[in-house]
Amino acid sequence: MNLQSKIYIAGHCGLVGSALLRALGTYGFSHLVTRSHAELDLTDQTATEAFFAQEKPDYVFLAAARVGGILANNTYPADFIRDNLAIQTNVLHSAWRHRVRRLLFLGSSCIYPKLAPQPLKEEYLLTGPLEPTNRPYALAKIAGIEMCWSYNRQHGTRYLAAMPANVYGPGDNYHPQDSHVIPALLRRFHDATQRGDTSVTVWGTGTPRREFLYSDDVADACLYLMRLADADFDRLLWPAGDADDSSALNLAPLINIGVGQDLTIRELVELVGQTVGYTGEVQYDTSKPDGTPRKLLDVSRLNALGWAPRTNLPTGLATAYRDLLAD
Ligand code: GDP
């Protein structure tokens, strides 16, 4: 990928997509292609195909997806499986037809089995049952990984799947019910502080552990991966041997993106309280779901390539909070 390459960022208005757009701009990539949801509905196969035929991008970051927090996943399961299956099927197929050189498919750490050993290594994919609250989303993403793998095997494409930890950052969705935990808590603690409330409610028991990754760090890791030399990139596509080797069927073209550390929701609540300056009480509503007990990613594959995140959680939370205030 060089500075003149034509690069399509699918989902450039989202949390990761907008961070990708910023990062590509900062590095000096000048030939960026974007379409808003209103301009191009990626669940529409004909429209997606027409777009690729017209633009013929060299590189694709597939960050377009239907995403949301634990309650949104539980409330709209049909939307989560249908939209994600449709988007990725259309984009991966058209990218092959129009000879995209490399594609990075973004998913999430919820693709791993609910009770897999921690930290989660890439090879734990498909080794056990999933967390039910986000199973429709996770299964769609697993199908996307399998599609990347299958197109690489059958058509010689270079599709890599990258699974980030829970992402947060500027431009997040602050919806009270549908958002992820960090934007939800920033909003709720901020509103409580403004109103002078003495108690705030947090969902679940506070005991689940989560790993959080700042959106600009995800974008940086994605660029790092897409700019790897061919030999290094191909080793990620075929970690168990080359495409013709029968052992190639054992390991997916998959890489985790994370910080390698997690904390409990209770500890996160402390940090968010400090960021916002909230001093009141916190109640835990255990009628709301906890989700999976833990999903800490093993990031040794990415670290071995020389990449590490730059933003620690207190710094990232402070930036995210400034973004909420500016909203
Ligand atoms: P998950 O990692 O897929 O479970 O995604 P979320 O970011 O939605 O939730 C993470 C954890 O935060 C879960 O254990 C939730 O129970 C907990 N949590 C606590 N309060 C909230 C909240 O207000 N919104 C969300 N989305 N999660 C919350």
Side-chain angles (χ1 to χ4, degrees):
M1 204 165 83
N2 62 48
L3 296 181
Q4 284 72 45
S5 302
K6 193 169 195 183
I7 304 169
Y8 171 45
I9 305 125
H12 73 286
C13 295
L15 183 59
V16 173
S18 59
L20 277 167
L21 201 59
R22 284 196 296 277
L24 286 160
T26 306
Y27 280 100
F29 289 91
S30 54
H31 209 166
L32 307 179
V33 181
T34 59
R35 290 289 188 278
S36 68
H37 195 171
E39 290 166 332
L40 173 61
D41 175 3
L42 291 171
T43 67
D44 178 336
Q45 187 189 359
T46 309
T48 306
E49 175 59 21
F51 162 76
F52 273 85
Q54 185 197 333
E55 290 290 352
K56 299 196 188 313
D58 300 313
Y59 295 86
V60 173
F61 290 91
L62 179 40
R66 178 172 287 273
V67 296
I70 193 162
L71 208 64
N73 271 271
N74 231 359
T75 314
Y76 313 109
D79 294 351
F80 275 79
I81 190 162
R82 184 266 173 187
D83 289 358
N84 287 310
L85 282 173
I87 291 168
Q88 67 207 28
T89 301
N90 295 339
V91 172
L92 294 173
H93 190 68
S94 289
W96 159 62
R97 283 177 49 95
H98 298 285
R99 297 192 168 78
V100 164
R101 291 197 198 157
R102 287 185 188 178
L103 179 147
L104 195 72
F105 170 65
L106 281 143
S108 119
S109 54
C110 68
I111 56 151
Y112 293 109
K114 176 174 177 138
L115 299 177
Q118 308 277 328
L120 297 157
K121 291 180 190 294
E122 286 87 351
E123 60 254 39
Y124 298 163
L125 181 74
L126 291 172
T127 54
L130 300 165
E131 155 63 31
T133 48
N134 51 25
R135 191 173 52 217
Y137 172 88
L139 274 172
K141 290 293 176 180
I142 293 170
I145 296 167
E146 190 69 47
M147 278 189 78
C148 289
W149 205 352
S150 302
Y151 276 67
N152 291 348
R153 286 168 57 204
Q154 188 179 333
H155 298 308
T157 49
R158 284 198 165 103
Y159 292 171
L160 177 65
M163 300 299 127
N166 287 32
V167 185
Y168 71 101
D172 217 331
N173 163 18
Y174 296 101
H175 188 279
Q177 267 82 45
D178 292 349
S179 59
H180 284 105
V181 61
I182 287 187
L185 294 185
L186 283 171
R187 160 69 65 203
R188 207 170 301 145
F189 280 54
H190 171 75
D191 289 350
T193 308
Q194 293 295 100
R195 287 194 299 255
D197 293 352
T198 53
S199 181
V200 160
T201 304
V202 171
W203 298 353
T205 60
T207 56
R209 301 184 70 87
R210 291 290 184 275
E211 175 183 10
F212 297 100
L213 185 61
Y214 189 62
S215 58
D216 285 345
D217 282 338
V218 185
D220 194 63
C222 291
L223 255 68
Y224 192 86
L225 291 167
M226 283 290 252
R227 299 176 83 186
L228 285 172
D230 276 343
D232 291 329
F233 194 80
D234 287 355
R235 251 193 302 280
L236 293 174
L237 301 184
W238 305 109
D242 65 30
D244 306 322
D245 193 329
S246 61
S247 58
L249 288 184
N250 297 334
L251 284 179
L254 179 62
I255 187 158
N256 293 335
I257 306 178
V259 296
Q261 277 178 356
D262 62 359
L263 74 173
T264 62
I265 295 300
R266 208 170 272 271
E267 289 164 335
L268 174 71
V269 163
E270 280 283 307
L271 276 179
V272 173
Q274 285 162 17
T275 306
V276 174
Y278 173 77
T279 51
E281 273 186 28
V282 175
Q283 311 273 352
Y284 286 86
D285 175 1
T286 52
S287 70
K288 292 284 196 308
D290 264 345
T292 199
R294 193 176 188 198
K295 43 178 179 172
L296 175 65
L297 291 173
D298 182 311
V299 284
S300 37
R301 196 178 280 182
L302 183 57
N303 290 349
L305 289 167
W307 186 87
R310 281 184 279 213
T311 317
N312 65 31
L313 189 54
T315 309
L317 283 175
T319 317
Y321 185 46
R322 277 199 297 278
D323 170 65
L324 182 150
L325 292 176
D327 202 21

